[in-house]
Amino acid sequence: MASYLQVENISKSYGDRTLFENISFNINEGDKIALVAPNGTGKSSLLKILAGVEHSDRGGEVKFMKDIKVAFLDQIIDFNPQNTLFDEVYSRLGSTYDVIRSYEQAIASGDEKQIERAMAAMDAADGWSVEQRIKQVLTSMKLTRLDQPMGELSGGEAKRAAIALMLLQQADFLVMDEPTNHLDIDAIEFLEGYLSRSRCTLLMVTHDRYFLDRVCTDIFELDQNTLYTYHGNYAYYVEKRNERIETQNAEVEKARNLYRTELEWMRRMPQARAHKAQYRIDNFYELEKKAKQQRNE
């Protein structure tokens, strides 16, 4: 499978708090990945770096495959409150919207040559089916009042409109932040069915375990400033995560025992420290760092 996204050595901190540091990963065509971690550990920040809204603190690289279309679903939805639902979605479909608006203006003008050019542009852009497709997707998301102002939509309706817009973009790669928040069961089931059947590549943040299991095949976990990868469902992830933590805890305990011995060695005859093996001194400070690791669950 072709690589759709390559991320190398990106980091993010706020003040003295590090969310993640020098993480790297690759996402291939067709991968469906859930990003999981407790709140406040950097999931949304990571997605915003991918979207170009935020930047890595110390360089790093985010590289999408050339020519693939990427669509982002943010938790915060920015719509024009004066636009109707249909016009808001319509206006965000890029050049297709411009083609259709030009056709409507040509019809209103009655200029035959202008109409002829506009019809040719509609043919080239497949503009004739766009309106029908918009209505179909909005109706599937239970949004039937197409003339309703965006400012009157509830939180759930606005979220469904954002998801509809994302699906209408027919992107190759979807990046979604908490897609099921504010959705009712019917909307979740529709989205679940669409993503399960779709050949799109997907990276999403979700706390919905059941939605995750039905849609995703792999899990990324942000933990202790590091990214871990699991190839399996949520139950597999929990099992392997527990195994990893047990191994890490055993390594930390071993380091603590050795640290006590090395600390005594470092404290003996401090005036002669310059003559001690430098590599052992360097190893001591690395050991000290590992021995003092704390795990917050």
Side-chain angles (χ1 to χ4, degrees), residues 90 95-123 125 127-128 131:
Y90 207 12
S95 59
T96 304
Y97 173 74
D98 296 333
V99 168
I100 295 171
R101 278 288 181 253
S102 295
Y103 171 74
E104 291 174 348
Q105 290 168 2
I107 293 296
S109 72
D111 186 320
E112 291 186 5
K113 289 185 178 180
Q114 188 177 345
I115 292 172
E116 186 177 338
R117 288 194 298 268
M119 289 178 67
M122 286 285 285
D123 288 335
W128 308 108
E131 181 174 350

Side-chain angles (χ1 to χ4, degrees), residues 4-30:
Y4 267 16
L5 172 64
Q6 292 179 336
V7 175
E8 295 182 3
N9 298 320
I10 63 172
S11 305
K12 194 66 180 178
S13 300
Y14 289 101
D16 59 357
R17 182 185 180 195
T18 299
L19 297 179
F20 46 85
E21 187 170 19
N22 293 328
I23 63 172
S24 301
F25 58 89
N26 181 75
I27 297 179
N28 292 324
E29 178 184 2

